[in-house]
Amino acid sequence: MKPIDQRLFRYGRASRLFLIAVVVLGAAGAGLVIAQAMLIAEVVVGAFQHGLGVAGLRTPLLLLVAVAAGRGLVSWLTELAAHRASAAVKSELRRRLLERAAGLGPGWLSGQRTGSLVALATRGVDALDDYFSRYLPQLGLAVVVPVAVLARVVTEDWVSAAIIVGTLPLIPIFMMLIGWATQSRMDRQWRLLSRLSGHFLDVVAGLPTLKVFGRAKAQAESIRKITGEYRRATMRTLRIAFLSSFALELLATLSVALVAVTIGMRLVHGEMDLYIGLVILVLAPEAYLPLRQVGAQYHAAAEGLAAAEEIFAVLEAPLPESGAREVPSAGGIAFEGVSVRYVERSSEAVSDVTFQVAENETVALVGPSGAGKSTLISALLGFVRPCSGRIRVGGVDLAEVSREAWHARVAWVPQRPQLYAGSIADNVRLARPEADDAAVLDALREAGALEFVEALPQGVATVLGEDGAGLSAGQRQRLALARAFLADRPVVLLDEPTAALDGETEAGIVDAVRRLAVGRTVLLVVHRPALLAVADRVVRIEAPGAAVPAQVRGVARGGVAEQAVADAVEAAPAQAARD
């Protein structure tokens, strides 16, 4: 069992101040515990040994009430600090998690399960509540209170102090043994929860397809099976938690009983003063209580610690390398012998591709599915790194250029644009958050989307469902083009913008792309011939291992040669939509 995970303090700055506050409040609490024990002993001795009444004991009784109120205040302040620190740390961890996932890029995200990431950013981060609100405060008390109690006991009775010193370490030893067993169980429980969350989200997302093919019931059975495994793992973890609590309670009780018996025997034989005996008897359980509570609270925090391991795995994943040079203000794009190989694949996705895109030129990439056209776009965006060769922008190696600066000059329209639950205006304004309403309307007009947007009941204020629910594929594509118009950047990358569209919608998208290409450097991934009319040149990409290398065929804008068109689409008929 790891008492404190240092990474929580490295990634959550608020937790450092909280730990200092816990130690200070724990010291105050320990002082109040000792004061309370002394006052209780004074009242009992005064009442039963000296025969004092309420009037004679008024001062210690009032002080005892004040000490009890002080302990309540310290507990409240500790809990308040814990909840505020927990909220601050969770917020910071979520922000760092999302920023890291964004920095790792689509290449990393494509290898992750969406449901698992969602569970990690929501339930996983929330599980740290118990760590900060219960476990850490109790850990602070477990360090401060026993030391303070021992310091007070040893000044009065070294025998009782020796018994406490001898038995007290047994509790953390048992806690460590139990903690190791519990941690492995909690890790398994969290993995099952992540698997259940990811599978459930995938099933919900694909429910229409599953329903069409009659596989919905089979998936329901799969979810039922994973849920049963999670339930059994939870019950095994709870069984260990209850048994460990019983073991710690029994050990602490026997230790306190050993102290009480020795004190009782000496009181009977007149070898100890009653006041000292009562002080030690009241303080002895307080020495063991914080350690017992640490063991109990660790089980409550174990799920959060298991989730934290996965959070740190994401936060510590190495980011793609990025240079520091500024992007040249002018110049084209050049691919020089570029090859790309994904980690999980044995063969190259792209092999030895060489071509250029001059400044303000529009080039179309064509070729069979799987040739690596979309991979070249990802490499140009910096989402994947070439295993050999290089990409130049404005004559500078892309690896030496700041990724943020490069992205600020690029407008990207992916094959399937991502729309969010929000208004149409907000979705378009993602490209330029400070843009006013007039600029948004102009971008929609240029993209050919204003007509259908104005036909909606609330126009640009119409709220879309998640992933643009309620819009057709062509309407989603027009909104993505509107983003590119609003961004107004010198380099435009389009990955099959007419995929899976009907002829009429495709013609509108082609017109919008033609307007977008004016005065910009454009690289198009094309599967259908309509968009070739926009291109100045067509670059044919062959699949790795094919007999014919990457070739370049020049065509005139608006007058594409028939042979070039035939070559471009020979292995990619109109219905092919994905690389």
Side-chain angles (χ1 to χ4, degrees), residues 67-231:
V67 167
R71 291 191 68 182
L73 178 62
V74 168
S75 298
W76 177 77
L77 289 174
T78 302
E79 189 170 347
L80 178 64
H83 283 292
R84 290 195 174 181
S86 177
V89 171
K90 289 193 302 179
S91 177
E92 188 170 358
L93 281 178
R94 281 198 179 98
R95 178 181 60 78
R96 286 176 177 267
L97 190 63
L98 293 175
E99 288 178 351
R100 195 70 171 192
L104 290 169
W108 179 84
L109 287 170
S110 63
Q112 308 298 312
R113 297 193 67 173
T114 304
S116 297
L117 285 176
V118 170
L120 191 61
T122 53
R123 170 70 183 272
V125 176
D126 283 336
L128 289 171
D129 263 334
D130 287 332
Y131 182 85
F132 284 98
S133 62
R134 298 183 183 180
Y135 176 67
L136 275 187
Q138 200 60 51
L139 192 63
L141 292 175
V143 172
V144 176
V145 173
V147 173
V149 168
L150 272 173
R152 181 69 182 88
V153 171
V154 76
T155 61
E156 302 290 352
D157 180 31
W158 68 268
V159 175
S160 298
I163 294 173
I164 294 175
V165 169
T167 56
L168 201 60
L170 296 176
I171 295 180
I173 290 173
F174 274 86
M175 283 169 51
M176 290 173 61
L177 296 175
I178 295 167
W180 287 332
T182 304
Q183 189 62 51
S184 63
R185 298 284 187 180
M186 288 306 304
D187 290 342
R188 172 175 169 75
Q189 183 187 16
W190 176 252
R191 287 194 298 269
L192 285 172
L193 178 61
S194 298
R195 179 182 165 200
L196 175 61
S197 301
H199 190 69
F200 184 75
L201 186 60
D202 291 342
V203 169
V204 171
L207 198 55
T209 304
L210 292 170
K211 199 70 176 174
V212 168
F213 288 96
R215 301 297 299 167
K217 289 186 177 179
Q219 292 301 319
E221 181 60 33
S222 175
I223 290 176
R224 187 179 297 110
K225 180 180 178 181
I226 299 173
T227 304
E229 292 179 12
Y230 178 67
R231 174 180 53 80

Side-chain angles (χ1 to χ4, degrees), residues 374-410:
S374 295
T375 296
L376 288 175
I377 296 290
S378 294
L380 183 55
L381 286 166
F383 295 152
V384 296
R385 295 297 296 269
C387 58
S388 64
R390 59 184 175 181
I391 303 172
R392 290 182 178 274
V393 291
V396 178
D397 192 338
L398 185 62
E400 300 175 5
V401 171
S402 165
R403 184 179 294 105
E404 291 73 17
W406 171 236
H407 286 174
R409 294 180 58 81
V410 176

Side-chain angles (χ1 to χ4, degrees), residues 550-571:
Q551 299 176 10
V552 178
R553 292 186 172 88
V555 297
R557 183 189 296 274
V560 182
E562 292 182 2
Q563 184 59 45
V565 176
D567 289 344
V569 298
E570 62 183 355

Side-chain angles (χ1 to χ4, degrees), residues 210-542:
L210 292 170
K211 199 70 176 174
V212 168
F213 288 96
R215 301 297 299 167
K217 289 186 177 179
Q219 292 301 319
E221 181 60 33
S222 175
I223 290 176
R224 187 179 297 110
K225 180 180 178 181
I226 299 173
T227 304
E229 292 179 12
Y230 178 67
R231 174 180 53 80
R232 287 189 290 273
T234 302
M235 294 306 296
R236 284 193 292 268
T237 303
L238 288 174
R239 190 182 303 122
I240 292 177
F242 289 141
L243 289 174
S244 64
S245 296
F246 171 75
L248 294 177
E249 290 288 340
L250 180 62
L251 182 61
T253 301
L254 292 175
S255 300
V256 172
L258 188 60
V259 174
V261 168
T262 58
I263 290 175
M265 294 297 294
R266 283 182 289 167
L267 284 173
V268 168
H269 292 89
E271 298 175 359
M272 177 177 281
D273 183 72
L274 178 60
Y275 173 80
I276 295 174
L278 287 175
V279 169
I280 296 173
L281 282 175
V282 174
L283 286 179
E286 297 290 347
Y288 296 95
L289 180 62
L291 286 171
R292 287 157 48 196
Q293 291 298 319
V294 165
Q297 300 304 340
Y298 176 78
H299 295 291
E303 183 181 1
L305 290 175
E309 288 296 327
E310 294 197 22
I311 293 172
F312 297 137
V314 176
L315 294 180
E316 294 171 359
L319 289 172
E321 295 180 11
S322 175
R325 294 185 61 175
E326 289 297 319
V327 184
S329 58
I333 300 167
F335 289 80
E336 300 176 356
V338 172
S339 298
V340 177
R341 174 178 292 171
Y342 292 106
V343 176
E344 67 276 9
R345 290 172 58 176
S346 58
S347 60
E348 292 179 341
V350 173
S351 180
D352 194 24
V353 171
T354 300
F355 69 92
Q356 293 183 356
V357 184
E359 186 176 4
N360 298 332
E361 182 185 28
T362 299
V363 170
L365 292 181
V366 299
S369 295
K373 301 182 297 298
S374 295
T375 296
L376 288 175
I377 296 290
S378 294
L380 183 55
L381 286 166
F383 295 152
V384 296
R385 295 297 296 269
C387 58
S388 64
R390 59 184 175 181
I391 303 172
R392 290 182 178 274
V393 291
V396 178
D397 192 338
L398 185 62
E400 300 175 5
V401 171
S402 165
R403 184 179 294 105
E404 291 73 17
W406 171 236
H407 286 174
R409 294 180 58 81
V410 176
W412 176 40
V413 180
Q415 186 179 127
R416 180 177 173 81
Q418 180 64 52
L419 300 178
Y420 303 92
S423 70
I424 289 176
D426 289 340
N427 270 277
V428 174
R429 200 175 272 120
L430 280 173
R432 187 152 56 92
E434 73 280 4
D436 56 23
D437 292 340
V440 171
L441 291 174
D442 286 342
L444 289 169
R445 185 180 296 107
E446 290 290 339
L450 190 58
E451 183 178 352
F452 85 80
V453 170
E454 289 182 335
L456 296 173
Q458 295 177 299
V460 294
T462 301
V463 176
L464 303 178
E466 188 63 39
D467 200 22
L471 298 181
S472 68
Q475 289 171 336
R476 288 196 293 267
Q477 203 67 46
R478 288 177 186 272
L479 292 185
L481 285 170
R483 285 176 179 169
F485 276 107
L486 186 63
D488 192 21
R489 291 169 184 169
V491 179
V492 178
L493 308 179
L494 299 102
D495 191 354
E496 299 186 40
T498 59
L501 301 182
D502 60 77
E504 182 179 352
T505 304
E506 181 183 51
I509 296 294
V510 170
D511 289 339
V513 171
R514 183 177 284 110
R515 290 191 294 272
L516 181 62
V518 176
R520 294 183 174 92
T521 304
V522 180
L523 186 60
L524 281 166
V525 172
V526 176
H527 260 314
R528 298 169 64 160
L531 268 175
L532 293 176
V534 179
D536 296 316
R537 288 187 298 119
V538 176
V539 174
R540 174 64 183 266
I541 305 296
E542 295 292 345

